[in-house]
Amino acid sequence: MSTKRTASEMTNGDPNEGEPMEIDHPKRGSLLTLLSRPSPFASESGALPMGEFEPMVAVAPTTSLANVEPLAAAKVLVVGSGGLGCELLKDLAMSGISSVEVIDLDTIDVTNLNRQFLFRQTDVGSSKAKCAAAFINKRCPWMTVVAHHGTIQDKPPSFYASFNCIISGLDNVEARRWLNATVCGLVQFDEDGDPDPTTIIPIIDGGTEGFSGQARVILPRITSCFECSLDAFPPQRSFPLCTIAETPRRPEHCIAYASILQWPKEFPEKKLDTDSPDDMKWVYEKALERSKQYNIPGVTYMLTMGVIKNIIPAVASTNAIVSAACVNEALKLLTFCSQTLNTYMMYMGSSGVYSHTFVYEKKDDCPVCTSTVRTMKLSRHLSLNQLLQELKNGDLRLQSPSLTTATKTLYMQKPPALEKATRANLDKTLAVLLESGEELTVTDSMLENINLSLRIEFE
């Protein structure tokens, strides 16, 4: 049965938790007030205009936000349903966005329960996306959340093209790069070479790290994209194998030993599942044994999770602040009621409530959002395999690049038959395979349907 609650009851606790909630909308100061009055700060007046704001007419104060255009017609995708994702779903529900979908591969671990408030003890081991959607659908009947349990790479580009806005709460760089490249690849151009506005799906990217966080607006092919800022994210830290095996000095070395060396010996046919509490407990116990053997203190379950999954301890208040900023930008993009963030907001909670906004400039040779041909000056004696390693370890940080020219295929990662047919080229020098100044087309799973043009010039 639906119950009506006051703000005081919702703040101080409610015995009917989990039941459908009905809220008395205030007559003044609500979002309806902003959407029904002209604004001197509408979207068209900002540095990044998205459209012209048209105030609603004759809206009753008791009107539900879920029935207000364009919020009622908006379709929003939330990517990730962890610490940031739970906050995003809650904020979207309370802002009147009625049609939301959420996608996440992770399952719920007991360590999530202290901050990911849409989950309960009985949910441990279940899909985050499905549990989050079920909780919101039950608690907020004006909102419909559709859950997708799986990787973002499982969905075709047409899936992402069906949304008005995408809010990313991902916790790793690789997935954010893939999502960025996919949505940038959806943009089509007119005869004059200008982006077609109807094919631009805004991405609002949120991220947190301890007491720091950021929210940014990405308009594919118009503003800088995530790939433009890749240099701001250092590659993931790794440990030398000899140190792990022979001379461990830190708790992280013990954890890496248990996961990299001991797990394959104990379970040769099974891949370590970082989302499995049982697997993670096994790694923790083995790492603890090794730490005691070498008198290395500091191995904990939380540190084990952090090393294996590259997790930085999360702070609930940071998640709340950053998610609020992301949803605020989504509302502005959907309604044009206020100026859009241009383009980056940083929150530094460790030094106070100060936040800084600035324009993150486009990278002139960004492989995703520009059509620039990159030039690489290399020795003619370099092998094709060495070039591939440079593409992986250099500033492009590709994952599994394949190379072709206008007339021939140099190397393809897949399918296996084509990889085998082109494998012989790996040991050949560039001078044998290419002319100086010749252009290569580089494809990579990290960049989805984006092709990188590369001009090779010999030194």
Side-chain angles (χ1 to χ4, degrees):
M1 181 178 177
S2 176
T3 54
K4 191 173 289 188
R5 302 162 200 187
T6 66
S8 173
E9 287 172 335
M10 288 185 285
T11 303
N12 298 324
D14 188 352
N16 297 315
E17 181 193 30
E19 292 301 315
M21 181 170 58
E22 183 182 335
I23 298 176
D24 279 328
H25 293 286
K27 291 187 167 79
R28 296 179 59 83
S30 71
L31 186 55
L32 283 174
T33 307
L34 291 177
L35 297 179
S36 59
R37 296 179 180 178
S39 170
F41 306 109
S43 178
E44 63 268 24
S45 67
L48 198 61
M50 292 296 299
E52 187 174 352
F53 175 55
E54 297 181 0
M56 299 179 301
V57 222
V59 179
T62 54
T63 302
S64 169
L65 285 171
N67 297 324
V68 170
E69 293 284 353
L71 297 182
K75 190 178 177 186
V76 176
L77 174 66
V78 174
V79 185
S81 54
L84 203 56
C86 285
E87 292 279 357
L88 290 169
L89 289 169
K90 177 259 293 180
D91 289 344
L92 288 168
M94 304 311 293
S95 300
I97 308 293
S98 57
S99 179
V100 174
E101 298 191 25
V102 58
I103 182 169
D104 198 318
L105 176 65
D106 281 354
T107 54
I108 299 164
D109 184 79
V110 68
T111 58
N112 302 144
L113 302 181
N114 69 328
R115 65 194 179 279
Q116 298 176 22
F117 51 84
L118 299 183
F119 310 135
R120 298 295 179 266
Q121 183 73 39
T122 53
D123 297 327
V124 171
S126 301
S127 162
K128 283 188 176 182
K130 291 181 179 179
C131 288
F135 190 101
I136 292 287
N137 286 335
K138 182 179 180 182
R139 180 78 165 170
C140 308
W142 61 87
M143 186 180 187
T144 302
V145 183
V146 177
H148 303 274
H149 179 72
T151 67
I152 56 174
Q153 293 86 351
D154 290 341
K155 299 295 183 182
S158 56
F159 171 77
Y160 297 98
S162 66
F163 296 95
N164 301 103
C165 181
I166 297 173
I167 309 180
S168 168
L170 291 165
D171 59 0
N172 71 86
V173 172
E174 288 71 24
R176 290 158 86 180
R177 290 180 70 188
W178 187 92
L179 179 67
N180 175 74
T182 299
V183 180
C184 284
L186 296 174
V187 179
Q188 299 178 10
F189 296 85
D190 58 24
E191 296 176 353
D192 298 325
D194 297 321
D196 179 357
T198 62
T199 62
I200 296 175
I201 313 296
I203 304 173
I204 302 168
D205 180 70
T208 63
E209 183 176 300
F211 287 100
S212 301
Q214 55 85 20
R216 71 185 296 185
V217 173
I218 298 172
L219 302 180
R221 305 285 187 175
I222 296 179
T223 67
S224 61
C225 70
F226 185 82
E227 196 77 16
C228 292
S229 58
L230 188 60
D231 293 341
F233 298 89
Q236 288 188 5
R237 183 179 177 185
S238 59
F239 304 104
L241 196 59
C242 56
T243 301
I244 294 171
E246 305 297 337
T247 55
R249 299 183 297 275
R250 304 174 56 182
E252 291 88 344
H253 296 161
C254 300
I255 296 167
Y257 180 84
S259 61
I260 296 173
L261 298 177
Q262 287 186 284
W263 179 272
K265 288 181 181 178
E266 189 76 20
F267 308 101
E269 303 298 324
K270 181 183 177 185
K271 184 179 177 181
L272 176 64
D273 182 359
T274 59
D275 293 319
S276 166
D278 293 335
D279 289 7
M280 296 306 295
K281 183 182 177 184
W282 186 93
V283 172
Y284 161 65
E285 290 174 347
K286 293 298 180 183
L288 189 61
E289 290 176 8
R290 187 167 176 81
S291 70
K292 291 177 179 177
Q293 180 184 350
Y294 286 88
N295 295 318
I296 301 172
V299 173
T300 65
Y301 184 77
M302 286 302 296
L303 181 63
T304 302
M305 294 280 288
V307 172
I308 302 300
K309 301 182 73 172
N310 197 35
I311 294 174
I312 295 167
V315 177
S317 58
T318 308
N319 287 336
I321 291 168
V322 170
S323 67
C326 290
V327 173
N328 189 35
E329 292 307 316
L331 285 170
K332 292 191 285 185
L333 286 167
L334 295 171
T335 64
F336 310 140
C337 67
S338 187
Q339 298 174 358
T340 301
L341 171 67
N342 184 29
T343 52
Y344 205 103
M345 184 278 287
M346 292 184 66
Y347 167 72
M348 292 156 281
S350 56
S351 58
V353 294
Y354 171 74
S355 63
H356 173 57
T357 62
F358 61 94
V359 179
Y360 210 114
E361 299 291 347
K362 258 188 172 187
K363 194 174 180 180
D364 292 336
D365 59 352
C366 175
V368 172
C369 66
T370 67
S371 303
T372 308
V373 177
R374 294 174 66 107
T375 299
M376 292 183 71
K377 293 188 177 182
L378 303 168
S379 167
R380 64 176 56 247
H381 303 297
L382 204 70
S383 70
L384 186 65
N385 189 40
Q386 288 174 310
L387 172 58
L388 289 175
Q389 297 309 312
E390 174 63 25
L391 294 176
K392 291 180 182 179
N393 302 325
D395 63 327
L396 288 172
R397 288 157 64 175
L398 301 183
Q399 198 170 58
S400 51
S402 297
L403 307 174
T404 60
T405 69
T407 57
K408 58 190 173 189
T409 300
L410 299 182
Y411 182 72
M412 295 295 289
Q413 300 277 356
K414 329 179 184 177
L418 194 51
E419 191 280 332
K420 184 178 180 181
T422 56
R423 193 182 302 162
N425 288 337
L426 291 175
D427 295 326
K428 295 180 181 178
T429 64
L430 297 182
V432 172
L433 299 170
L434 302 168
E435 297 290 336
S436 183
E438 191 168 357
E439 288 188 15
L440 298 178
T441 298
V442 184
T443 56
D444 188 87
S445 56
M446 186 66 69
L447 303 181
E448 186 54 11
N449 56 346
I450 300 288
N451 294 335
L452 169 64
S453 296
L454 195 65
R455 181 183 293 112
I456 303 297
E457 294 183 355
F458 296 147
E459 296 174 337

Coordinates of all heavy atoms in Angstrom, one line a residue, residues 58 86 115 218 224 247 366 415:
A58 N 1.1 26.8 -17.5 CA -0.1 26.3 -16.7 C 0.1 24.9 -16.1 O -0.6 24.0 -16.4 CB -1.3 26.3 -17.6
C86 N 24.5 3.7 -7.7 CA 23.3 3.7 -6.8 C 22.9 5.1 -6.5 O 21.7 5.4 -6.5 CB 23.7 3.0 -5.5 SG 23.8 1.2 -5.5
R115 N 28.1 1.3 1.6 CA 27.8 2.6 0.9 C 26.9 2.4 -0.3 O 26.3 3.4 -0.8 CB 29.1 3.2 0.4 CG 29.9 2.3 -0.6 CD 31.3 2.7 -0.9 NE 31.9 1.8 -1.8 CZ 32.4 0.6 -1.6 NH1 32.4 0.2 -0.3 NH2 33.0 -0.1 -2.5
I218 N 30.6 15.4 -22.1 CA 31.2 15.1 -23.4 C 30.1 15.1 -24.4 O 29.2 14.4 -24.4 CB 31.9 13.7 -23.3 CG1 33.0 13.7 -22.3 CG2 32.4 13.3 -24.7 CD1 33.6 12.3 -22.1
S224 N 35.9 18.1 -26.1 CA 36.9 17.0 -25.9 C 36.2 15.7 -25.5 O 35.2 15.8 -24.8 CB 37.9 17.5 -24.9 OG 37.3 17.7 -23.7
T247 N 61.5 -12.0 -3.8 CA 61.8 -11.0 -2.7 C 60.6 -10.1 -2.4 O 60.7 -8.9 -2.6 CB 63.1 -10.2 -3.1 OG1 62.8 -9.6 -4.4 CG2 64.3 -11.0 -3.2
C366 N 43.7 13.5 -31.4 CA 42.9 12.5 -30.7 C 42.4 11.4 -31.7 O 41.8 11.8 -32.7 CB 41.7 13.1 -29.9 SG 40.6 11.8 -29.2
P415 N 40.1 -13.0 -37.5 CA 39.9 -14.3 -36.9 C 41.2 -15.1 -36.8 O 42.2 -14.7 -37.5 CB 38.9 -15.0 -37.8 CG 39.1 -14.3 -39.1 CD 39.5 -12.9 -38.8

